[in-house]
Each structure stands twice: as C-alpha cells, then as structure tokens.
Amino acid sequence: MNDSAPAPTPAPAPRRARLRAPELIGKGGWLNTGGKELTLSDLRGRITILDFWTFCCINCLHVLDELRELEEKHRDTVVIIGVHSPKFVHEAEHAAVVDAVERYEVHHPVLDDPELATWKQYAVRAWPTLVVIDPEGYIVAQHAGEGHAHAIARLVEELEAEHEAKGTLRRGDGPYVAPKPVSTDLRFPGKALLLPGGNFLVSDSTRHQLVELAADGESVVRRIGSGERGFGADAFSEPQGLALLPDGRVVVADTVNHALRVLDLESGAVETVAGTGRQWWQGSPTSGPALEVDLSSPWDVAWWRGKVWIAMAGVHQLWTWDPEAGTVEVAAGTTNEGLHDGPAAEAWFAQPSGLAAAGDRLWIADSETSALRYVEPDGEGDGYAIRSAVGTGLFDFGHRDGEAAQALLQHPLGVTALPDGSVAVCDTYNHALRRFDPATGQVSTLATDLREPSDAVLVGADIVVVESARHRLTRLRLPEEAVRVDAVAHRTQRAATEVAPGTLRLDVVFQAPAGQKLDTRYGPSTRLLVSSTPAELLAAGEGAGTDLFRELALNPDVTEGVLHVSAMAASCDDDPENEYPACHVHQQDWGVPVRVTAGGAARLPLVLAGMDDQE
C-alpha cells in the first residue's frame, strides 16, 4: 500500500430540500420518557421520525407495525416520536392516550397534543403522517399514509452515512423509558363469545391470547396462545373478533396477522384458514383460495347466510370466507373511506369493526363514521344492499338520543342483536351501551360509565359487556327503561381549509424514494379518486383518473363541505441488473374539510411522499 496516495474523494451527499423543524409542543405532555419533557435540541444528532397518529385510525395502527423493524434495527441512531393528534373528543383525554400507548405496544416516546398544536405547526393534513428530521434539526421528508417504511429505511441509511461523515451523527440510547407493567387477568380485551357450555371466550388483544373464563366472567379456565406476538400454531397478534361455526369450532379474527384462525375448543389446536400473514394492498387479488389471498386487519367475524362475514377494517370493506369452498372474496365496499349506502359493490365504509347477525340483517358498527349500518338481501337474486340506521359521515359524532336521523354515536366498536329485534351498540368513545329500535326508529341509552366498551354478549336476561379499558367483563341486567343523558354533538377538531371560489388546483405530491422509480410496466402507476360531501360541492372534477393533479370546479352555491381524495402510487427499485425488482405501493385517503372564502387558496397540496416545493 502506498501511504502517499491521495485518499479517495467521498461521494457528495445527496441534495435535499431542508426546512427547519418547528418545536414539539402539546398540552398533554410526554409519555414513555420517564417524566422528561423532550425538545428538538435533546434530539439533535439523532435522526428523528415524527409519527402523527390517533388511536382510532386503523391506518395509524398499520404504520405503528410497519415501523417496528426499523425502530429495532436503527435503535442507536433513530428516535421515533409519536405525536398523538386526536380526531374524536375521547381521544383528547390524556388517560385514553395512556391506555392506547400500552394497548398498541408503542415502544417510543409519545407527545400528547390534544389541541393539535404540533399538527398545525407541521401543516399536517392526514392521519397518519410521517416527518423525517435530520440530525441537524431540518425536515428532509414527509410521507402520508401507509407503505413508506421501505423508503424511510433507505433514507435513514443515507442520513446515517452523510452525518457520520460530517460528524453530526450521535449514536447511543434513545429517550424511551418503558412504563411499569400492570398485572391483570385481561389486558385491553377486544371481543367475547358465549360458549355452548356457558363459559366465555375472550380475545385478550394486548396479550396476544385467547382466554377462556368461567361462567362468572372472572375466573380464568385456560389461556390459548403463547402470549408473545407471532404467527405460529401457538401465537396470535392482537386478536379481536370471535364467532362460533356450525361445527362447534371458533373462528378468530387475528387482526395484526391479517388472517383468520380456527380454534378447536376440545384440543386447543389453532390453524390458519384464511390470509397469508401479509397485508392486502391495492392491486392484490380480492378473491380466491383463502390461504393465498392477503387480508387487511380483520376486526370482527360473524356467521351469516352460510358464510363467515369479515369486518375488514383495514380496507373499509366486508369480505366473506366460505369454509366449504375454502375461498374468500369481497362482499361489500370499494375501499373508499366514508358513508355511502346502496348496492354492496358501490358502498363506502369506514373501519367496520363490529358485526351481529339477526335474521335477514347483518348489523355493522362502522366506527370511523360513528354509524350503525346493516347488510340485507336486495331482493334481486343473490345481491346485497347496504343501509345506514344511525350516523351521517366521518366528521359528525356525539351522544344524542331520539330519532335515528339526528341521533349521534362516537366511534362504536361492537353491536349485539337483542331478542326483541332491537340492537345494542357498544358506543365505545362515549363509554356507553346504546340501543336502536328498528320498529320505532328511536335511539336510547341503556347504560353509561362503561370504559371503552368494545363488545357485548347476551346471557339470558343479562348482557355481558367487554369493558376494554377496565380490562374486564361487566354483567348488566338489560333495563326496561333508558338512561337519561344530556345530548352533546361534536365535529372533528380539524379546522377547515379556506379555499377560493371557482377553480381549485389539487396537487398530490409524490416523489419516488431514492433508488426507485415509478412502476409503469403494466400501465399507469398512479391513481387519483376525488369526491365530495355534499356531492354538490364539486361542479366538476370528481371521479377517477391516473394523474396526481386535478382541476376542481367548486359550486358557487355551496360554501363548505369535505373533499375526499384517495391517491395511490407504485414504485419499484431502479436496478437495471435485476429482472424482478422489488415494488412498493404508497397510498392514502384524505378527508379535507374546506370552506369557500374570497381570500382562500387556489391550490390544495396533499403530500403523499416527498416535499412540496411550491410551498
């Protein structure tokens, strides 16, 4: 080796748009830090990823799972900060955020921002949104929605190399401090099932187990599953829904494994009957052999009309599994998020999370629209129609009894058919058990002071409620009279975006991650779908297309509403030597409240991935 030879010149660092990151503020304070208040200066020298999330949002829960591997692999250089930014009033309660951080095993610091102060500082428009801050305190990337973990992992590696060379990278332990564990028989249970012998089977979601309780609802008979997150014969990952099959076995919605499992009650054996363990993405098959088709966060299951119906919360649809044929298929929903009734194939849902079969109706707790809905035969062959009994859409919620047309719920997760033909609703974020009577069209309250009820089962004249945030089953006598509750109504806290009348330019910002390019091998690699509530808000520009921009004509007679925007982009690794490059799907749905004013903006940018260079 020639010691006098010049050292090779290092490759120049990639040029990136950089914007100084605003400070992190939130009235709720910090969790998972041992009581320490963090500032951006405390994080200097580390790569920081801000995860703007709210615990009602299934897409946010998907991103928590996507980030787990990156969090572990880059533990000494990366700090993930969850910025909890509530949609529902209940989510602004600090105790509820504390519960959610434990429930979903969030192993990084969380800033509780009940007034959306940091959300506004970072101009965030969607749950979830990820913001990457470099070791010098500059924003270098923003991503909305799911499917970005691979791109962020690549960016993290580039930032590590760049700042190691500059001397601005600081390695070491992060600020996460684990809370003290709490001992209870159940921990955030999700759903319950009355077994033929009188015992209860409960999905003990945070402990990744099923628990059989005696008829008293308290004594533990046995536990099924290792208690560790996994996808083996003795492992689950945050299981939820349970349903009894005609042959006496139990089908389980193994939610975070994106699978259906079947439990043999006698032997305790568990087998996978649907799903691959991978999450469904746009463009994946929507029917076929059950073990070959991806699913997405199945949250509840019910036996109805000869099949298992699945509340597929992750893609806002209903699916079915046919045990005899061994197949799955979409039964209702388009994957668009919202409340739209009609033929099953055209309906919109928003995180369906509870199912209950009752004769010719399958009742649905549609959580994000705070709605009670149902499926029924449409009277024409084998088709089905979707109807709404209570609820109006994504942004209105509260606790109001009376006529169903004006009644309000808040993020219900469970529904139970009652013997008289009415329906009990676990009105989760109102901490209440509600009742809808189809005969009278009235909504009433059966019980209050239930902590995040998520399911209920009938036992004779009693109803046993899963109080998820009290970690127990609670037995109630079904009351003959309703409880009186003062009515409250809310709208989501997000302020409306002021837009100018006339033409509004919609730009979905997408920049393919470093080392990737748009995948055009099989046609257009992008998709944009636009609609509005009310429909009259848009005079032109609604519908589907392949460009990620659109000129929207606003109706001069409508002054406010919500723009629904769904975008997807597919990118592949840009490696000419690889005949089969890895490909990735980036997708996000936005519901943007808008108000038409003379001084409003003429352009609406929504960042899917990258930075908006026109801001």
Side-chain angles (χ1 to χ4, degrees), residues 290-590:
L291 291 170
E292 298 176 15
V293 177
D294 299 339
L295 308 182
S296 182
S297 296
W299 205 275
D300 203 5
V301 282
W303 179 260
W304 187 58
R305 298 176 70 87
K307 295 180 181 180
V308 171
W309 287 66
I310 310 163
M312 202 73 77
V315 285
H316 317 300
Q317 290 180 313
L318 302 181
W319 288 44
T320 59
W321 168 54
D322 185 335
E324 286 194 17
T327 56
V328 292
E329 64 181 350
V330 174
T334 63
T335 75
N336 294 321
E337 185 179 12
L339 191 153
H340 180 72
D341 291 338
E346 300 172 13
W348 292 21
F349 298 95
Q351 262 175 250
S353 301
L355 299 174
D360 285 338
R361 286 185 177 177
L362 178 69
W363 292 96
I364 309 158
D366 200 30
S367 62
E368 279 292 284
T369 53
S370 298
L372 172 64
R373 307 175 73 186
Y374 58 92
V375 190
E376 65 179 1
D378 64 5
E380 300 179 9
D382 296 327
Y384 293 96
I386 309 301
R387 317 282 185 211
S388 294
V390 182
T392 58
L394 288 164
F395 298 98
D396 292 290
F397 55 92
H399 190 146
R400 188 162 62 201
D401 290 329
E403 292 288 340
Q406 55 85 51
L408 294 172
L409 309 170
Q410 186 179 178
H411 197 80
L413 290 178
V415 61
T416 307
L418 300 179
D420 64 358
S422 64
V423 185
V425 180
C426 286
D427 193 5
T428 309
Y429 288 2
N430 281 327
H431 311 300
L433 187 67
R434 311 285 294 282
R435 176 178 180 262
F436 168 67
D437 186 350
T440 64
Q442 294 286 312
V443 175
S444 57
T445 298
L446 297 176
T448 58
D449 192 31
L450 298 166
R451 189 69 184 171
E452 292 192 17
S454 55
D455 197 20
V457 294
L458 284 174
V459 184
D462 295 342
I463 189 164
V464 175
V465 180
V466 179
E467 277 198 273
S468 189
R470 283 199 178 112
H471 321 292
R472 71 187 188 190
L473 303 189
T474 298
R475 185 183 295 260
L476 305 171
R477 179 56 55 97
L478 277 173
E480 295 182 4
E481 294 185 5
V483 177
R484 180 175 174 78
V485 176
D486 291 333
V488 292
H490 303 287
R491 283 185 67 81
T492 182
Q493 293 187 64
R494 282 191 294 168
T497 298
E498 295 191 347
V499 296
T503 300
L504 176 66
R505 165 83 179 201
L506 171 67
D507 282 323
V508 174
V509 177
F510 178 77
Q511 295 156 5
Q516 297 180 28
K517 63 179 180 180
L518 287 174
D519 177 16
T520 57
R521 293 172 299 165
Y522 308 108
S525 60
T526 55
R527 185 192 71 165
L528 179 64
L529 178 67
V530 180
S531 63
S532 66
T533 303
E536 297 76 22
L537 174 64
L538 288 178
E542 73 282 355
T546 56
D547 292 324
L548 292 181
F549 62 88
R550 187 81 56 86
E551 298 286 339
L552 307 179
L554 301 176
N555 184 341
D557 298 326
V558 181
T559 58
E560 62 180 312
V562 179
L563 290 175
H564 303 283
V565 181
S566 178
M568 184 274 289
S571 62
C572 289
D573 293 345
D574 189 9
D575 181 1
E577 302 299 320
N578 187 353
E579 186 179 356
Y580 303 104
C583 295
H584 315 276
V585 176
H586 318 255
Q587 62 185 50
Q588 173 62 13
D589 295 332
W590 291 267

